[in-house]
């Protein structure tokens, strides 16, 4: 099932999402929600989706950065962003730790702020811990673009959007970004 992606201004994007009881993860409603999130992210398409973006206020993330999404970027852009393919995975009840004082600034967008992008400073390296879709503990150490995706998606579960972190004068329509910025 493909869900409607909620756009900025809806209060569901602005509250902290509820933690999932580990014992509930293997139940049909949560497994169905994860399947819907995967399909919705693929159809959009996007490299990450948080449950509040489909009006489900739960601490669940899905992430996948497919190689085919990199076709529009130059080799140089991929290199400077440290962007590599990331296989599909699920993170539930995540905690996030910043592992580096180094901050990198790149343009990013959000499926819930459709049609716009802005330059957002993010930590280069993070560690995320949580549970996967089988309720098993997982720890992810990431850097570069994957670390950016994790920070962006983790923010969604706190009610934070890239709009809160962006360099405001870089805020742009996606169309103007492609015309003027790259
Ligand atoms: Zn987003």
């Amino acid at each position: 099932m493909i869900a409607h992606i909620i756009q900025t201004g809806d209060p569901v994007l602005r509250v902290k999402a509820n933690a999932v009881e580990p014992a509930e993860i293997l139940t049909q409603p949560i497994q169905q929600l994860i399947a819907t999130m995967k399909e919705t992210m693929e159809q959009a398409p996007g490299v990450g989706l948080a449950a509040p973006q489909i009006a489900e206020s739960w601490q669940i993330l899905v992430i996948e950065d497919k190689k085919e999404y990199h076709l529009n970027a130059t080799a140089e852009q991929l290199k400077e962003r440290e962007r590599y393919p990331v296989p599909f995975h699920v993170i539930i009840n995540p905690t996030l730790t910043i592992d580096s004082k180094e901050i990198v600034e790149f343009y990013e967008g959000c499926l819930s702020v459709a049609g716009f992008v802005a330059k957002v400073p993010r930590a280069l390296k993070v560690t995320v811990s949580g549970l996967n879709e089988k309720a098993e503990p997982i720890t992810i150490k990431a850097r570069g673009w994957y670390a950016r995706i994790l920070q962006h998606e983790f923010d969604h579960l706190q009610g934070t959007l890239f709009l809160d972190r962006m360099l405001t004068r870089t805020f742009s329509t996606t169309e103007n970004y492609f015309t003027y910025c790259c």
Side-chain angles (χ1 to χ4, degrees), residues 103-116:
I103 302 292
V104 282
E105 294 176 356
F106 290 109
Y107 279 86
E108 65 180 61
C110 176
L111 296 174
S112 295
V113 189
F116 296 93

Side-chain angles (χ1 to χ4, degrees), residues 4 43 62 67 84 88 104 154 157:
H4 171 68
Q43 199 256 350
V62 293
K67 198 171 184 181
Y84 307 99
F88 175 80
V104 282
F154 177 81
L157 304 181

Side-chain angles (χ1 to χ4, degrees), residues 48 53 109-112 152-153 156 161-162:
Q53 291 182 274
C110 176
L111 296 174
S112 295
H152 178 116
E153 300 307 333
H156 272 300
L161 299 174
F162 83 85

Side-chain angles (χ1 to χ4, degrees), residues 86-145:
V86 177
F88 175 80
H89 62 105
V90 178
I91 313 171
I92 299 167
N93 301 345
T95 59
L96 180 142
T97 313
I98 303 287
D99 288 339
S100 158
K101 285 193 179 136
E102 196 173 341
I103 302 292
V104 282
E105 294 176 356
F106 290 109
Y107 279 86
E108 65 180 61
C110 176
L111 296 174
S112 295
V113 189
F116 296 93
V117 295
K119 201 179 260 190
V120 182
R122 300 273 187 195
L124 179 64
K125 293 198 270 183
V126 297
T127 299
V128 170
S129 296
L131 300 172
N132 66 13
E133 72 278 18
K134 297 172 190 158
E136 298 161 341
I138 50 167
T139 296
I140 299 160
K141 287 196 171 287
R143 59 177 288 149
W145 201 256

Side-chain angles (χ1 to χ4, degrees), residues 6-14 112 161 163:
I6 302 295
Q7 295 301 303
T8 183
D10 190 311
V12 73
L13 294 173
R14 289 310 199 170
S112 295
L161 299 174
L163 304 171

Side-chain angles (χ1 to χ4, degrees), residues 31-50:
Q31 293 294 315
Q32 181 58 52
L33 174 57
I34 292 168
T36 298
M37 289 174 66
K38 182 175 194 285
E39 280 184 57
T40 303
M41 173 175 69
E42 282 180 346
Q43 199 256 350
V47 297
L49 190 76

